[in-house]
Amino acid sequence: MKIYITRCVVQLLVFLLLIYGAYLGLRFSNFMPLWRCPHQNSYSEGCYLLPFHRTQYGHSIYPQENRGMPFPGYLILQRGEAYFRFFLFLIIAVAVVNKVWCGWFCPFGTLQDFVHYIKRKFKFREISFSRKAKYIIQPFKYIFLLLFFSAFMLLILGGPVTEPLFCKICPAKAFLLPLEGNLLNFSIQFPHDTAASVISCIIAGFVLAAIFLKRRFFCFVCPIKALMRLLNVRLFWRLRKDPDKCNSCSRCAQVCPMEIQEVSLEGRAKDILNKDCIFCLRCIDECPRKGVIKPQVFKRQA
Amino acid sequence: MRYYLTYKSLLISLLYILIVFPKPCAYSIADNYLWLELDSSFLNNTAIANQEIYIYFGHFPDEKKDMRDLYNLNAFYTIGKKDNHGSEIFYPLEIKKKETGSKIIIDPKIFNWFKLIVTAEEKKGGREYNYCAMLSAFISGNTGQSFREMGESNPQGNFTEAFDVTIYRERIKDDFSVHRKRLFPVRMKIKFNGAAFSDRLITIIDRSGDSQQLRTARNGEFVYVPKDNLNKKQAPQNKMDADLVMMEHGLDNKIYLGSQAIYFTNEVTKKRNFSLPLGLIIFISSFTISFFLLYRSSKL
């Protein structure tokens, strides 16, 4: 229970810091994916994707060098630093923070946990995925990873328009604006942007259904998780199990938000950190016996 | 002869002049003043500021005079960062001198609203003139020269006595754009030396040189509805033009002249048709289908 409370406090603090930190002058969303949108009335910082938005004229202090710059030159010279900053964040998130980002820091994961907590209070029953269902859902994260990088391309290739192409179908906007009482994103726009507004409504409906049905649904299809899998980086974090102490009660598997069954089935002493694990450490917290599962940092016992 | 020189006749003459020549009597600001204009690429592009901003002296929009007699010409900008006491942090900017205009290059390495203030002084006819030009715009400065916080600076000169204009950012109904549009009201609040600039006449000059006067409320607020751009048919929709809000205040032997440039797009919001019921039907349908499919998939 101690880990659970600590994690809740950390999640809440990180959520407040990352999402509302701009009010304190901390502008994180210039380089990491956060829920901030210039369309919000309470907007206080930029969306992390906006620096990728292509405009006809660049933003160098030497405008004469920018005008009419061809595509590759534009990418390297004008947006090089924005790319570097963002991908540096991705490398740190994937390689160093790794799964701890998902379970402890990710604001969208925290939001899903909060929704889960409210649903539990109202005794709303969630679905659980069968192995086959999981098998079908898993590849979607790679599709989302492709879309994630396509978002940059949509912004880069979007051309000099007032509103970037990606903004028109951005799923974050669908939820940030209604939180302020603005239902405009749920309108179909005629005669321009009709297709984009329809797609936006469809995405919003899907996201809402998924959040309501399953805790941490989006962790199953998260593009960052796909990136972690592809790079297969697990430099610092380990989860060791001592099968001699385990009484096979399967409590760990029952409480796992990612429904990882292997954690209870594993009979040999080894690293049991699953590919889907978000390092929430619920399995350790709920285990009736002490010292069965232990987290390791830098291969040393934490 | 005596009849014509009474106070009554003088008053009638004055009223006659005011009625016949309302514009020159009521609207003009005789003295020169400073104002700020964004780089022309801003005006023809996406309403995202390039780094070049120009300072002009004279009469908006076209009468640009030599500004070599001005002294203490300083520029500062803020991007909303606040210090421990809750007051905005200003950063000084270098001004590149020109004969009839000065250029400022700004690159704050962020994507945000920024507020720029330029102050200058001039002594003329035994009076001290304090000029203050303001501009707030959206800037994207992510590459190029790195952002050097050149030391937090308290703006010098008479900056503390200068005008402070707050332009409220009220969203236009049924519109996504973050940029202000013509024909839609803008609410503003003016302070002078920290106190509300109450019950004072404000002059607003548009790009064609036409001006109108508005009176501020007790709390210094007023609402301005920018006129439609007459050249809209020729100009692209996202072209932006500035209107200039002018304010004047006399204090002892000093005259304070402030200007705030506000940019408006030509984008026509009214032509766009929004259907909320249709959108909600699609959203609810998508929610229901997704809910059903996901529920079914869990049973596989």
Side-chain angles (χ1 to χ4, degrees):
Chain A
M1 204 63 186
K2 272 181 189 171
I3 299 171
Y4 176 70
I5 292 165
T6 314
R7 186 169 152 260
C8 282
V9 172
V10 171
Q11 276 185 299
L12 187 66
L13 287 175
V14 172
F15 186 86
L16 293 174
L17 195 69
L18 293 183
I19 304 295
Y20 300 105
Y23 292 106
L24 302 169
L26 304 164
R27 295 171 192 280
F28 296 106
S29 73
N30 281 326
F31 57 91
M32 67 165 79
L34 289 183
W35 274 30
R36 301 298 307 156
C37 175
H39 291 292
Q40 286 175 273
N41 283 340
S42 59
Y43 165 70
S44 57
E45 62 174 327
C47 167
Y48 74 100
L49 285 170
L50 277 181
F52 297 89
H53 177 215
R54 187 184 189 189
T55 53
Q56 191 177 348
Y57 303 113
H59 304 297
S60 162
I61 58 159
Y62 310 108
Q64 68 277 12
E65 289 181 9
N66 300 326
R67 288 171 197 190
M69 187 175 279
F71 180 64
Y74 158 81
L75 279 184
I76 297 160
L77 295 172
Q78 290 188 22
R79 289 289 183 268
E81 198 185 316
Y83 279 108
F84 175 75
R85 221 164 38 199
F86 181 72
F87 287 109
L88 184 71
F89 161 76
L90 267 190
I91 289 164
I92 293 168
V94 171
V96 183
V97 190
N98 206 255
K99 291 173 185 301
V100 177
W101 169 262
C102 311
W104 294 67
F105 302 144
C106 175
F108 193 51
T110 304
L111 194 78
Q112 290 179 78
D113 282 347
F114 290 160
V115 172
H116 167 75
Y117 178 78
I118 295 162
K119 281 189 296 187
R120 209 173 56 181
K121 283 279 168 201
F122 286 98
K123 294 181 179 168
F124 186 90
R125 214 176 135 209
E126 287 190 344
I127 59 165
S128 58
F129 289 129
S130 65
R131 268 176 176 267
K132 195 179 171 186
K134 264 199 213 174
Y135 187 74
I136 295 165
I137 291 166
Q138 295 285 9
F140 278 91
K141 64 164 75 82
Y142 299 102
I143 297 167
F144 284 122
L145 183 67
L146 199 68
L147 289 173
F148 183 67
F149 285 108
S150 305
F152 298 128
M153 297 315 286
L154 279 173
L155 288 167
I156 294 160
L157 300 171
V161 288
T162 310
E163 191 184 17
L165 191 60
F166 181 72
C167 290
K168 290 173 183 171
I169 54 166
C170 176
K173 196 173 74 178
F175 291 96
L176 289 169
L177 268 62
L179 287 174
E180 293 184 336
N182 186 352
L183 290 172
L184 188 61
N185 197 62
F186 294 110
S187 302
I188 305 299
Q189 298 175 34
F190 300 106
H192 311 293
D193 301 333
T194 311
S197 52
V198 169
I199 293 168
S200 176
C201 285
I202 292 170
I203 292 173
F206 171 76
V207 172
L208 193 68
I211 287 177
F212 261 91
L213 271 174
K214 176 96 187 89
R215 183 188 184 183
R216 290 271 180 172
F217 173 85
F218 286 99
C219 292
F220 287 98
V221 290
C222 178
I224 302 289
K225 198 158 251 223
L227 202 64
M228 284 180 192
R229 271 196 170 193
L230 284 175
L231 298 174
N232 199 20
V233 185
R234 278 193 293 168
L235 297 174
F236 307 113
W237 311 95
R238 296 276 189 282
L239 212 54
R240 295 244 166 222
K241 185 180 172 183
D242 187 350
D244 298 334
K245 291 181 183 174
C246 178
N247 63 354
S248 303
C249 66
S250 300
R251 181 73 186 138
C252 47
Q254 286 167 19
V255 295
C256 179
M258 298 303 291
E259 296 178 5
I260 299 165
Q261 300 299 315
E262 288 82 351
V263 67
S264 69
L265 301 172
E266 190 55 57
R268 292 169 295 162
K270 64 169 213 175
D271 180 17
I272 54 158
L273 194 70
N274 190 278
K275 285 171 185 171
D276 284 330
C277 180
I278 57 167
F279 219 76
C280 67
L281 308 181
R282 273 300 266 168
C283 46
I284 299 172
D285 230 6
E286 293 287 331
C287 185
R289 293 189 173 188
K290 293 288 164 201
V292 179
I293 306 167
K294 288 171 188 168
Q296 282 186 334
V297 185
F298 296 105
K299 289 190 178 179
R300 288 183 181 181
Q301 199 165 298
Chain B
M1 191 67 182
R2 192 180 293 169
Y3 174 78
Y4 291 110
L5 287 174
T6 57
Y7 283 113
K8 191 180 173 185
S9 63
L10 282 172
L11 189 67
I12 290 166
S13 321
L14 190 65
L15 280 172
Y16 175 77
I17 291 166
L18 283 170
I19 292 161
V20 174
F21 305 107
K23 247 183 166 173
C25 287
Y27 293 167
S28 72
I29 287 183
D31 296 308
N32 296 321
Y33 46 82
L34 278 179
W35 80 90
L36 297 169
E37 279 186 28
L38 290 162
D39 182 27
S40 59
S41 60
F42 175 91
L43 306 173
N44 296 314
N45 194 21
T46 59
I48 296 167
N50 260 4
Q51 284 77 16
E52 288 181 9
I53 293 152
Y54 293 90
I55 312 165
Y56 293 112
F57 182 63
H59 288 94
F60 182 78
D62 296 322
E63 200 184 324
K64 293 161 186 173
K65 292 182 179 173
D66 198 333
M67 51 201 297
R68 274 180 286 199
D69 291 340
L70 301 181
Y71 60 94
N72 280 345
L73 185 67
N74 292 308
F76 308 92
Y77 78 94
T78 177
I79 50 172
K81 278 189 180 177
K82 290 185 176 176
D83 62 12
N84 296 335
H85 307 290
S87 46
E88 282 181 322
I89 299 170
F90 283 87
Y91 301 100
L93 280 163
E94 192 188 343
I95 298 171
K96 293 192 174 179
K97 280 251 177 188
K98 275 188 176 179
E99 282 179 6
T100 51
S102 294
K103 190 164 76 176
I104 298 172
I105 292 172
I106 182 167
D107 183 32
K109 282 199 93 58
I110 51 136
F111 198 99
N112 211 335
W113 285 99
F114 78 100
K115 193 161 88 177
L116 180 68
I117 296 168
V118 174
T119 55
E121 289 171 50
E122 188 187 28
K123 277 185 181 152
K124 200 168 60 180
R127 281 178 155 184
E128 194 178 300
Y129 285 80
N130 294 276
Y131 305 110
C132 173
M134 291 162 281
L135 173 85
S136 57
F138 210 62
I139 191 158
S140 173
N142 283 285
T143 53
Q145 193 185 45
S146 39
F147 174 42
R148 286 169 294 171
E149 295 191 3
M150 293 169 280
E152 290 169 15
S153 156
N154 283 323
Q156 299 141 17
N158 287 307
F159 179 82
T160 47
E161 290 174 352
F163 294 96
D164 178 23
V165 180
T166 307
I167 307 170
Y168 292 96
R169 203 161 157 253
E170 284 165 294
R171 194 161 293 282
I172 298 166
K173 192 177 178 292
D174 290 347
D175 182 48
F176 263 146
S177 175
V178 293
H179 307 294
R180 295 185 185 94
K181 290 181 172 58
R182 297 202 166 270
L183 298 173
F184 290 92
V186 183
R187 190 161 60 95
M188 285 178 265
K189 189 177 189 176
I190 302 176
K191 281 182 181 176
F192 180 78
N193 204 7
F197 199 59
S198 56
D199 202 26
R200 302 293 293 266
L201 280 173
I202 305 295
T203 306
I204 299 168
I205 310 162
D206 65 24
R207 184 43 85 173
S208 59
D210 289 342
S211 61
Q212 59 172 293
Q213 281 199 318
L214 295 168
R215 189 172 284 277
T216 58
R218 188 171 282 182
N219 60 356
E221 277 190 12
F222 67 100
V223 176
Y224 168 59
V225 183
K227 278 197 300 184
D228 205 359
N229 192 340
L230 295 173
N231 297 321
K232 197 166 62 188
K233 281 177 187 169
Q234 285 85 43
Q237 265 211 351
N238 57 6
K239 182 175 160 58
M240 297 195 91
D241 281 324
D243 286 5
L244 201 70
V245 179
M246 291 294 310
M247 51 222 101
E248 192 175 1
H249 184 68
L251 201 70
D252 301 329
N253 206 26
K254 288 179 179 176
I255 291 174
Y256 293 88
L257 275 165
S259 74
Q260 167 79 48
I262 315 169
Y263 277 82
F264 299 99
T265 64
N266 284 330
E267 204 174 352
V268 183
T269 305
K270 284 176 180 173
K271 278 186 182 171
R272 296 177 92 181
N273 191 8
F274 290 81
S275 172
L276 183 62
L278 185 60
L280 285 175
I281 288 167
I282 294 171
F283 167 69
I284 293 164
S285 309
S286 165
F287 174 80
T288 314
I289 294 165
S290 305
F291 197 96
F292 178 73
L293 284 175
L294 288 168
Y295 189 78
R296 287 278 298 173
S297 69
S298 70
K299 303 286 176 195
L300 286 170

